[in-house]
Every structure is written in structure tokens, then in C-alpha cells.
Amino acid sequence: MQLKELSERTGITPASIKYYLREGLLPPGEAVHATRASYTERHIKRLQIIQALRHIVHLNIEQIRGILAMADDGAPRLAVLAQVQRVVLDLAVDDGDVTRTRAGDAVVRLRNWPDADSDARDALNRHIAVMESLGITLPMDLLDAYSRAVDGVAGFDLDLTAASTSTDDAILTAAVGMHMHSQLMLKMLALAQASHAIRRFDSPT
Amino acid sequence: MQLKELSERTGITPASIKYYLREGLLPPGEAVHATRASYTERHIKRLQIIQALRHIVHLNIEQIRGILAMADDGAPRLAVLAQVQRVVLDLAVDDGDVTRTRAGDAVVRLRNWPDADSDARDALNRHIAVMESLGITLPMDLLDAYSRAVDGVAGFDLDLTAASTSTDDAILTAAVGMHMHSQLMLKMLALAQASHAIRRFDSPT
DNA sequence: CCTCTAAGATAGAGCCACTATCCAATGAAT
DNA sequence: ATTCATTGGATAGTGGCTCTATCTTAGAGG
């Protein structure tokens, strides 16, 4: 198919598609000749992934390019997914001068996780430290409950990504899944807080 | 104190402070006379809140104004905190045409939460529906584990916000707390996934 | 031959959160 | 008394980001 059809089938304007081509997010179509290119179903899928990463997960163009470039360079799937994690966790965040805790390490031991991925563990340690420095204490039994919940879902998510036929699919599943779980937590927390507030202030039993 | 000192003590440029004044995020200082105004500690605190809501929670100016305007209008603290929730949950999100589930209601029953806040419950129902529509299934025992974890922290957070001496403090605690918990979940999930992946692919026991 | 569409290049638009400049007014410092 | 610093108020400009539009050249199919 050519550009126009690609645009119609994805709902993305030709101008935007050209932009994504320029930015290297979308691989060029096969050049039939100098002024005609042909695109495939893979391009449609790729555009859907770009849309999801942009507008659901809220990544910027550069972050998306970094992930997709790895995939296009034929990097092993696990490496690509590690990159997805790194970007979604936003490891570039500057935590400043908080004194680290080792609470994350404790979680790893508690859950009996193999502690190889130091990126994610460091991110967790840093994050817990930041929360503590903000006066949000995290007792071990809370970390226990969180990690237990997350332990269950991780195996399942892994099945999902492993079942993905293409690396592109795996990227989408992983990124959207992480984001959605985090948002789910936000919504549950809100509901829990609202419920507790009602119980505490509205019913002086 | 006057503007210059306010700027020095918060590290925010006078130009930005004027901008926040213009946008109605920061109440004007008490006018000593036509060309001199005096600011108080409250203004310092307010600026810190604005910074946190902007750069940690990533709210935009309009969202911040909506929240702070309620506080300045003397709205009851619970109403202001409900607004904080609404904004952080981003209820404006357009979920489109997913068929709702009642899984959120089930969670409410399971946890024995009083089901008065329909905003948060609707948000949860919608979110679960969106996840299901994306192929992310959420078995009841996962929702059980999530909600159990969150149930514990909600009471504690409520203590924190209740202990806040000012509504401004309560806003800060609530907004930053919600955001931080959600990010914590993201980081734990990443670590769990990494651990599962290692266990599955690196040790073919 | 005429029209459609392509690639490629470049420029412009629109939003957002600042940031800078200019002004008249005015108390404070010397 | 005069100079200086600073204010409120107004207005305009900047920089980053994601598109969006225009223009050119060129080939293909009807």
C-alpha cells in the first residue's frame, strides 16, 4: 500500500507519517521507484505502537526512537525490553542528595527474587529513599504487600510478552502494561483513601 | 519580606513569581503602598507547593490553579482533597467505548469499603475495563492483593493529611503521596519483571 | 498529455511555561 | 533634594516540542 492508504487505515495524517519517517520512528517503505514507496502491515502496526507510546504512555519522540531503533537494529528482545523499562522508569530523574536506603534490597530478599538487575533495584532503592525524605514512611509490611501483589502479575505479564510474535508487539505489551498497572494503583489508592475518609469523617460510630 | 527576598529564599526567579501571581496561583502580597508589597512565610510555602505540583506531580498551571483556588476560596478540606484526587486521576481522560466492568465494585465489596465516592469507583471501573480491552486480564486475586496493599496505606496517608496544619500542606501531602505510591508500584513491577525474566531465561534449572 | 501521488526539503503553527523588557510610581538612602 | 532600588502592571519574546503546511521535482497510469 502507499502512504495515502497507510494514513487512512491508521487515522494518522500523511504529514505526521512523514514526520515519523523523518524522525526515524517509522522505517521507510520499500521504494518501488524514485517517487513511489510501498508500505506493509508492519508499518500499520508500527504506527499504532508509536501512537500508544506517545499518547498512552506519554513518551516523547526521542524516547520512542531509542526503543524502536534497538528493535530495528535487531537487538535481542530482552535487551529491548530492558530499554523499555529504563525509559518508562525514567531513570534520568535526578533524585539529588537523598541518602539511599536498602529497603529495595530487603524486598528482593523477601520475595526471593534473583538480584541481578541492578538498574531496577537501584531505581527502587532511590525511590524509597525519596519517599522517606518526603516524610512518607513505608513500613516493611507495606512493601511486602506491594511486592507480593506485583510478584504475581510479573509472571503473567512475562507470559504475555513472551507470547508476542514480534518484538514490536512485546514493546507495546510491556510499556502499556507497566503504565496501566501503575495507573491502576493510583485509582485504587484514590478509592481506598476516599473510603477511609468517609468512614472516618462521615460515620462517627 | 518583599519580592526579592521571596525569590532568594525559594530559588524561584522574580519573573516566575510574577507569572504565578498573574496566573492566580500565588495570592498577592499585602500592599504596603502602591509600589511595595510584603510577603509572608505562607507565600514561601505556597511557592514550594506550586513547584512540587508542577515538577514532581507534573500538573499544569490550570490544574494547579483549580486546586489552589478552592483552597483560597475557603472550601472545606475534604472538598479540596477530592479535587486533588480528581486532577491526579485525570478524570478528563476519554476512555472511548469500552464496555465497563463491575470489577471495581467487587473490590469495594471485598475490602468492605463504604461505597460513597462514585468518582473514584467509576474511575477504577473504567480503568479495569480499558486494561481488559487491551488484553491485560486482572484476576480477582490480583485485585485482592492490590486493594489489600492500598487499604493499609490509605489509613496511614489519611493520618498524614489530617495531621497537616494547613490545607496547603494537606494538598501537598495528598498529591505527592499519590504520585509517589504509583511510581513506587511502577518500580517494583519493573524489578519483579526483571527478576522473573532472569529466573525464566537465565537459569534453566 | 494530464492528473495523482511520491519523496525530500524547509518553513510555519500552536501550545505551554516561563523570561525579559519597559514603564511610571515611590519610599529609602545619602 | 536627588539618586537608587524595587514594585505592580503591561506586553512581548523565547525555547522546546510536536506536529502541519507548502513547495519542488519527478515518475506512472489513464
Side-chain angles (χ1 to χ4, degrees), chain A residues 117-148:
Chain A
D117 186 322
S118 57
D119 270 1
R121 208 179 59 241
D122 281 1
L124 181 58
N125 274 323
R126 277 208 306 277
H127 190 80
I128 292 173
V130 170
M131 289 183 77
E132 300 277 356
S133 77
L134 291 172
I136 307 173
T137 58
L138 297 164
M140 202 56 214
D141 62 341
L142 175 66
L143 295 179
D144 181 32
Y146 275 4
S147 64
R148 190 193 306 271

Side-chain angles (χ1 to χ4, degrees), chain A residues 112 127 151 159 196 199-200, chain B residues 112 151 159 196 199-200:
Chain A
N112 200 27
H127 190 80
D151 196 33
D159 288 337
H196 276 253
R199 195 182 287 156
R200 192 174 301 191
Chain B
N112 199 27
D151 196 32
D159 288 337
H196 275 253
R199 194 183 286 155
R200 191 175 303 192

Side-chain angles (χ1 to χ4, degrees), chain A residues 55-121:
Chain A
H55 300 293
I56 298 178
V57 193
H58 302 299
L59 303 185
N60 63 35
I61 298 296
E62 171 144 5
Q63 291 169 325
I64 297 173
R65 177 170 40 230
I67 292 168
L68 295 180
M70 284 186 72
D72 290 339
D73 286 353
R77 185 178 293 192
L78 265 186
V80 177
L81 292 179
Q83 175 68 10
V84 170
Q85 271 203 0
R86 232 170 287 131
V87 170
V88 174
L89 290 184
D90 199 10
L91 292 189
V93 70
D94 187 12
D95 302 329
D97 48 357
V98 292
T99 53
R100 304 284 182 83
T101 64
R102 300 276 86 181
D105 296 349
V107 168
V108 168
R109 285 194 300 277
L110 186 68
R111 283 276 84 74
N112 200 27
W113 286 335
D115 67 341
D117 186 322
S118 57
D119 270 1
R121 208 179 59 241

